[in-house]
Amino acid sequence: MKLAEGEIVQLIDSKGKRYQIKLKRGATFFFHRGVVEHDRLIGQQPGSWVKSSLGEPLLVLKPTLADFILKAKRGAQVIYPKDIGAILMLADIFPGARVLEAGTGSGALTLALLRAVGEEGRVISYEVRKEFLEIARWNIEEFLGLLPQNLILREKDIYQGIEEEDREIDRMVLDLPEPWRVVEHAREALKPGGIFVAYNPTILQIFKLARIAEKVGGFYQVGVYEMLMRSWRTEQRVLRPELRMVAHTGFIYVARRIRKTAPDLA
Ligand code: SAH
């Protein structure tokens, strides 16, 4: 698989600094250690090296989804890859699943959901702000090279309800400020046994959501989680955690759609 025009490429310098560019014939990549003509990158294999005009070696790779997300165009704050990884597992996103997401934001989670559901699955994503939907569209198209057929983007306030045709969903993933306002709609739209996940930066939001889900009924709370990822320095004589880490992003609430009342087991 050789690198072609239009592809996104990651360049890593000797300090480990990463750059992301989109290959275009005739274009030039500039950085503090010289320049590289895109034409020299087109046709290379990922994993190869190039030298800049000032002799700096650069490693040439295709960015991973996590790399891309961290450099994606931002409207709304994206969910960090460490949390996206956990969400995919906790929400049990499987190939062929029908998933409803809100809000779309910058489309970072949307991209991960699309991957996990595969071509047989479907991602329906609600976003109330037009300008964010535009950014999400841009990011998705930039990474995938197209807007996939199995993605439905709706400019819509999910607090007002879920469209008839968007129901019968397997999994629902929320990243918006007042998830408790979606609980009743989620109860209508989720298939029996379906999974409801909400991601929020403060535990007060999760607490209110949990209380309302309990009051509304039809949900079994699986758990509330937070993910901490600590990276390490691994050098010749240094083998220890990095001094700094992202200490807080958000909490993940997980529940399953169940029958409202337990049967009489007597
Ligand atoms: N998960 C996204 C970021 C979402 S940020 C990502 O990874 O890129 C939260 C988004 O929810 C914002 O874009 C906001 O406009 C949207 N939002 C807030 N309330 C909403 C509602 N009622 N219906 C739909 N979208 C909503």
Side-chain angles (χ1 to χ4, degrees):
M1 272 287 284
K2 290 186 172 162
L3 297 171
E5 177 162 34
E7 274 191 278
I8 302 173
V9 162
Q10 181 182 61
L11 300 173
I12 307 180
D13 71 13
S14 58
K15 294 257 157 50
K17 188 166 163 47
R18 300 166 184 191
Y19 305 87
Q20 193 174 288
I21 60 171
K22 191 172 182 176
L23 295 180
K24 189 162 178 265
R25 288 222 173 269
T28 307
F29 163 69
F30 294 87
F31 75 130
H32 67 287
R33 292 284 300 147
V35 305
V36 178
E37 306 299 333
H38 286 209
D39 287 2
R40 286 183 50 219
L41 299 168
I42 294 171
Q44 295 272 2
Q45 298 273 10
S48 57
W49 297 85
V50 288
K51 256 189 182 170
S52 78
S53 56
L54 292 178
E56 169 88 358
L58 287 161
L59 187 54
V60 186
L61 287 168
K62 290 187 54 149
T64 63
L65 178 53
D67 294 328
F68 179 80
I69 285 171
L70 294 174
K71 293 219 187 265
K73 199 184 253 193
R74 305 285 166 96
Q77 174 66 268
V78 300
I79 304 187
Y80 270 67
K82 72 172 171 80
D83 292 315
I84 293 182
I87 288 169
L88 292 177
M89 204 49 147
L90 290 167
D92 190 42
I93 308 296
F94 58 91
R98 192 172 151 84
V99 181
L100 195 139
E101 177 197 27
T104 320
S106 307
L109 179 60
T110 318
L111 273 167
L113 292 171
L114 279 167
R115 260 197 181 174
V117 303
E119 283 178 15
E120 301 298 311
R122 175 164 295 238
V123 177
I124 305 161
S125 190
Y126 281 40
E127 170 58 57
V128 75
R129 289 175 61 177
K130 197 188 182 104
E131 67 275 25
F132 287 170
L133 215 45
E134 283 309 313
I135 291 172
R137 252 194 212 105
W138 194 92
N139 282 328
I140 294 163
E141 217 174 329
E142 182 80 352
F143 189 71
L144 297 178
L146 80 178
L147 273 176
Q149 295 281 325
N150 59 343
L151 169 66
I152 297 170
L153 294 173
R154 293 216 196 282
E155 187 186 330
K156 208 174 145 35
D157 177 350
I158 199 169
Y159 299 156
Q160 304 300 320
I162 293 165
E163 309 241 344
E164 200 69 46
E165 63 191 290
D166 297 341
R167 301 196 188 169
E168 284 292 297
I169 53 182
D170 298 299
R171 309 288 186 245
M172 187 152 173
V173 186
L174 301 179
D175 175 13
L176 36 67
E178 300 182 350
W180 53 89
R181 294 178 64 186
V182 186
V183 166
E184 295 208 26
H185 309 316
R187 199 181 62 184
E188 297 305 311
L190 272 170
K191 287 185 193 166
I195 302 181
F196 175 94
V197 166
Y199 173 82
N200 283 107
T202 99
I203 204 67
L204 295 173
Q205 289 162 296
I206 301 285
F207 179 65
K208 185 159 182 184
L209 167 63
R211 225 179 37 199
I212 288 181
E214 200 173 328
K215 210 170 97 194
V216 166
F219 290 95
Y220 168 76
Q221 183 174 320
V222 176
V224 174
Y225 308 91
E226 66 173 316
M227 310 311 301
L228 306 180
M229 187 163 92
R230 190 164 71 160
S231 48
W232 282 56
R233 270 182 76 162
T234 54
E235 290 157 18
Q236 219 42 14
R237 273 193 290 265
V238 182
L239 193 57
R240 59 156 174 81
E242 292 284 356
L243 298 179
R244 293 169 195 281
M245 69 187 277
V246 176
H248 177 63
T249 53
F251 302 101
I252 304 168
Y253 166 91
V254 185
R256 299 202 77 157
R257 172 77 177 89
I258 56 162
R259 270 183 58 184
K260 202 163 176 178
T261 48
D264 187 357
L265 297 175

